[in-house]
């Protein structure tokens, strides 16, 4: 349920851009607010998880997130949009850190692969939210009203669910096991893999509806549906992930899916018809689906730190992809086209393909 409101935000970005009369570059700056908030929160997220435990971390993060996520749709300028998205990102980071740490603890203690399945359900939430957002867009319901309605409906079920989740008091690592080395080479390599995947996911969330609007002159509903298709195949891939991870090597699995993402990106950007472009978007969603959950599982088992600290550092570095992606794509699009801007994702995926060889879980 957590990402439903977030998913409903993405299809409304073209309308927000039109309402505020923002250029591609100005929109890129404004959209940086969400990853800036995420990045800021995750600088202290690991310590916060260790201090609060997962249940309180989830509860406080979810309440703040549901209050703040509709706020950007009420803003009247690009600068205010940036600030509102930064506040929403701060709360979103705490909520998602609580979810990831809880899943990593359960996976470790139960000795059962669940991380990809958990992210699959998260992707279903994004899918549902983006579908609802696309419907609201087609019905011309204002973004601020629709997001507020979804937040209000989600509040009680989400907080109730958070209170039912097992409260893990995240253990602090033994200082003799290398806590003084906060970032090790394996963690850096895993994070660089995550950077390339996150840059692609963030770009699809922020720009794919605008791409459809600019290139194919799609209606708001059809443009929003492009991200829904992307989310659908991300969810499908993640639900297959734990089964595939048990059968194939993690490194080969990650590399194969990144190759599929590269192929999908090229098809999506250079297809002559909207249907063919949707097929490319589907392959792109499938290709990036396993990236982050595989990285979380690998990072959470690295020795020397608590799983919360490793996951927080991974997420912090990975979300740099979200931080760098929107302005890079926006600036390139400002001086060329949105098609060329999105093509800039290909080097990021090539980098992820190279670093996929370093993904492995430790006993």
């Amino acid at each position: 349920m957590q990402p439903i409101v977030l998913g409903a935000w993405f299809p409304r970005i073209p309308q927000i851009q039109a309402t505020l009369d923002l250029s591609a570059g100005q929109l890129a700056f404004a959209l940086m607010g969400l990853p800036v908030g995420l990045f800021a929160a995750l600088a202290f997220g690991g310590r916060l998880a260790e201090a609060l435990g997962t249940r309180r971390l989830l509860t406080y993060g979810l309440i703040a997130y549901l209050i703040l996520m509709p706020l950007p749709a009420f803003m009247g300028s690009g600068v205010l949009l940036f600030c509102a998205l930064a506040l929403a990102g701060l709360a979103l980071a705490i909520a998602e850190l609580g979810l990831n740490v809880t899943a990593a603890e359960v996976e470790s203690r139960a000795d059962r692969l669940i991380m990809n399945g958990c992210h699959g359900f998260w992707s279903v939430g994004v899918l549902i939210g983006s579908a609802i957002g696309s419907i609201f867009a087609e019905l011309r319901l204002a973004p601020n009203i629709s997001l507020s309605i979804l937040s209000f409906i989600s509040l009680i079920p989400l907080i109730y669910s958070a209170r039912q989740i097992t409260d893990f008091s995240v253990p602090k690592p033994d200082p003799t096991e290398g806590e003084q080395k906060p970032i090790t080479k394996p963690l850096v390599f895993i994070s660089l893999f995550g950077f390339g995947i996150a840059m692609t996911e963030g770009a699809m969330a922020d720009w794919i509806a605008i791409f459809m609007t600019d290139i194919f002159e799609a209606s708001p509903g059809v443009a929003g549906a492009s991200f829904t298709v992307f989310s659908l195949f991300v969810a499908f891939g993640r639900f297959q992930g734990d089964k595939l991870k048990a059968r194939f090597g993690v490194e080969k699995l990650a590399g194969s899916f990144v190759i599929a993402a590269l192929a999908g990106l090229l098809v999506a950007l250079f297809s002559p018809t909207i249907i063919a472009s949707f097929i490319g978007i589907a392959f792109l969603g499938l290709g990036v689906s396993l990236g982050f959950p595989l990285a979380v599982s690998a990072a959470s088992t690295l020795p020397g730190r608590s799983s919360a600290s490793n996951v927080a550092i991974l997420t912090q570095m990975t979300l740099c992809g979200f931080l760098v992606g929107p302005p890079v794509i926006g600036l390139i699009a400002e001086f060329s086209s949105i098609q060329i801007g999105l093509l800039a994702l290909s080097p990021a995926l090539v980098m992820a393909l190279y670093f996929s060889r370093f993904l492995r879980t430790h006993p």
Side-chain angles (χ1 to χ4, degrees):
M1 290 196 68
Q2 178 264 313
I4 287 178
V5 182
L6 179 66
W9 156 257
F10 295 128
R12 312 312 298 268
I13 292 175
Q15 290 174 276
I16 298 291
Q17 180 186 21
T19 299
L20 300 182
D21 193 23
L22 301 176
S23 69
Q26 291 170 330
L27 179 64
F29 167 78
L31 293 176
M32 284 178 62
L34 189 63
V36 164
L38 287 161
F39 189 79
L42 291 165
F44 57 85
R47 293 191 299 272
L48 193 63
E50 292 168 355
L52 295 178
T54 53
R55 185 182 296 166
R56 283 192 293 170
L57 188 72
L58 271 174
T59 302
Y60 299 156
L62 286 170
I63 291 173
Y65 157 77
L66 291 173
I67 292 172
L68 294 173
M69 194 62 225
L71 188 62
F74 288 88
M75 297 299 102
S77 70
V79 173
L80 292 176
L81 179 60
F82 173 92
C83 295
L85 283 171
L87 289 174
L90 198 70
L92 176 63
I94 301 304
E96 292 196 356
L97 177 61
L99 289 170
N100 278 303
V101 171
T102 301
E105 290 290 334
V106 171
E107 186 173 65
S108 174
R109 298 182 190 209
D111 194 24
R112 179 180 176 184
L113 298 175
I114 67 164
M115 183 63 71
N116 287 288
C118 289
H119 281 264
F121 280 106
W122 191 91
S123 298
V124 169
V126 176
L127 172 64
I128 292 171
S130 64
I132 293 172
S134 298
I135 293 171
F136 283 154
E138 196 68 21
L139 295 175
R140 309 292 179 176
L141 185 64
N144 54 1
I145 295 175
S146 61
L147 291 173
S148 298
I149 290 172
L150 285 175
S151 286
F152 180 76
I153 293 173
S154 300
L155 180 61
I156 293 177
L158 266 178
I159 301 306
Y160 174 80
S161 298
R163 302 304 297 171
Q164 306 310 307
I165 292 176
T166 301
D167 188 18
F168 292 110
S169 297
V170 181
K172 296 178 176 59
D174 185 343
T176 64
E177 293 184 356
E179 175 67 9
Q180 70 276 14
K181 299 178 180 179
I183 303 179
T184 61
K185 279 188 177 180
L187 186 56
V188 170
F189 294 154
I190 293 169
S191 298
L192 288 172
F193 167 83
F195 179 97
I197 298 296
M199 185 172 179
T200 304
E201 285 197 71
M204 290 299 103
D206 288 347
W207 293 104
I208 192 60
I210 294 172
F211 170 80
M212 286 292 171
T213 302
D214 289 354
I215 301 301
F216 297 106
E217 298 182 351
S219 68
V222 173
S226 63
F227 182 68
T228 303
V229 169
F230 177 80
S231 301
L232 175 64
F233 279 84
V234 170
F236 174 77
R238 285 175 174 173
F239 280 124
Q240 307 306 312
D242 291 320
K243 186 191 306 181
L244 293 171
K245 182 180 173 183
R247 185 174 179 180
F248 302 102
V250 174
E251 299 94 329
K252 290 182 179 179
L253 184 63
S256 298
F257 270 62
V258 175
I259 290 172
L262 273 166
L265 176 67
L266 296 177
V267 171
L269 294 183
F270 297 106
S271 293
T273 66
I274 193 169
I275 297 297
S277 186
F278 266 70
I279 293 172
I281 290 169
F283 272 95
L284 180 55
L286 184 66
V288 301
S289 61
L290 299 186
F292 189 63
L294 287 178
V296 169
S297 291
S300 66
T301 61
L302 290 175
R305 298 181 59 91
S306 71
S307 61
S309 296
N310 281 338
V311 171
I313 290 173
L314 164 71
T315 312
Q316 182 181 5
M317 294 180 68
T318 298
L319 286 170
C320 286
F322 285 90
L323 185 64
V324 170
V328 168
I329 293 169
L331 287 173
I332 294 174
E334 184 86 3
F335 295 102
S336 56
S337 69
I338 186 62
Q339 194 174 39
I340 300 301
L342 286 172
L343 187 61
L345 294 171
S346 53
L349 287 172
V350 170
M351 181 182 69
L353 179 61
Y354 175 79
F355 285 107
S356 65
R357 70 185 68 184
F358 297 102
L359 267 69
R360 60 179 59 88
T361 54
H362 300 264

